[in-house]
Amino acid sequence: MTDGVAGTQSLRRARSGPAAAPDRDLLLIVLTVSSGAVDAISFLALGKVFTAFMTGNLVFLGIGIGGPGGPRLAGPLVSLAAFAAGVLLAGVVTGAGRTSRALALAAGFEVAFLLVWVSVPGAPGDTALDLLIGLSAVAMGLQSGAVSTLGVRGIVTTAATATVITLMAGATDRTDTGERVRLMQVLAALIAGAAAGAFLLDHARTYAPVLPAGLALVAAVGFARADPRPSRSRRVPAAG
């Protein structure tokens, strides 16, 4: 009887625990495709600014400060501030392994971006431009903060520098094949997402953000299904 109860409890823990590695890796790839499309859209349509890749914004900011010919300073500044706010917000809403909370909120910001984008339609003025940059960057900050809690080495889904470093360092320290494949898949996903975002901007501009928003929603649902469920205490009736 005791063995049966223990087995049932173990099964429940397995079902309610964090996403198994193959499922988690697939969802990370989905998020990376989404962020690749986000950055393609932001760079090509929001005034040469990134809303996921913050290193690029720091460079743009330096170019803008250093002399004429650079991008307007407002774009990188809004993006950096909004991204930082998103990361902080992810830290607040993500707790007890509930990664999906931050990812669901990120997907909500991407849907808000889509609604504003469609309302303009796909041709924002200066005010709408900064609003769109802010919405997108908050979403990417939330996503980055959520993914960082998973502790997957070399993967943040919104930038590739750490992924390339981890992949190449693994070539010398004999990183296992599964990890190398995962890292290469993430790099390919970022390229594929950027290509898809650029293609949609060229052929279906008004609805281009549907792709990253839809993928973000899919990933949020996937992580929600795997997040640990809070245990519910059951009252045991007293013996009569």
Side-chain angles (χ1 to χ4, degrees):
M1 180 67 176
T2 303
D3 291 343
V5 172
T8 302
Q9 291 175 340
S10 299
L11 180 59
R12 286 174 179 168
R13 283 194 297 268
R15 287 176 176 173
S16 63
D23 295 337
R24 178 205 62 195
D25 292 350
L26 178 59
L27 293 171
L28 289 174
I29 289 170
V30 169
L31 286 173
T32 306
V33 173
S34 176
S35 64
V38 163
D39 257 350
I41 292 169
S42 64
F43 182 80
L44 295 173
L46 300 182
K48 301 296 186 291
V49 64
F50 294 113
T51 55
F53 180 54
M54 291 299 111
T55 303
N57 285 329
L58 290 171
V59 173
F60 290 153
L61 187 60
I63 293 172
I65 293 171
R72 68 188 189 103
L73 294 179
L77 285 172
V78 169
S79 185
L80 285 163
F83 186 91
V87 175
L88 288 173
L89 186 56
V92 172
V93 302
T94 303
R98 297 305 299 268
T99 306
S100 63
R101 290 176 178 173
L103 292 177
L105 195 54
F109 274 94
E110 292 204 45
V111 171
F113 177 98
L114 172 62
L115 294 175
V116 175
W117 174 271
V118 170
S119 71
V120 276
D126 286 345
T127 302
L129 193 70
D130 289 336
L131 174 60
L132 288 167
I133 290 171
L135 289 171
S136 183
V138 169
M140 293 297 97
L142 280 161
Q143 179 176 311
S144 299
V147 171
S148 70
T149 66
L150 299 175
V152 183
R153 194 165 75 109
I155 296 177
V156 293
T157 71
T158 53
T161 304
T163 307
V164 173
I165 291 171
T166 305
L167 177 64
M168 299 316 296
T172 59
D173 65 11
R174 296 183 181 180
T175 300
D176 69 90
T177 303
E179 183 175 8
R180 288 199 299 272
V181 169
R182 177 170 61 243
L183 294 170
M184 289 188 289
Q185 287 174 334
V186 167
L187 292 174
L190 193 63
I191 295 171
F199 178 85
L200 288 171
L201 269 180
D202 192 36
H203 293 85
R205 185 180 183 89
T206 303
Y207 303 103
V210 170
L211 173 66
L215 292 175
L217 286 168
V218 168
V221 171
F223 275 104
R225 290 171 62 87
D227 271 348
R229 302 292 186 269
S231 60
R232 296 179 180 178
S233 59
R234 296 182 178 180
R235 183 176 298 174
V236 179

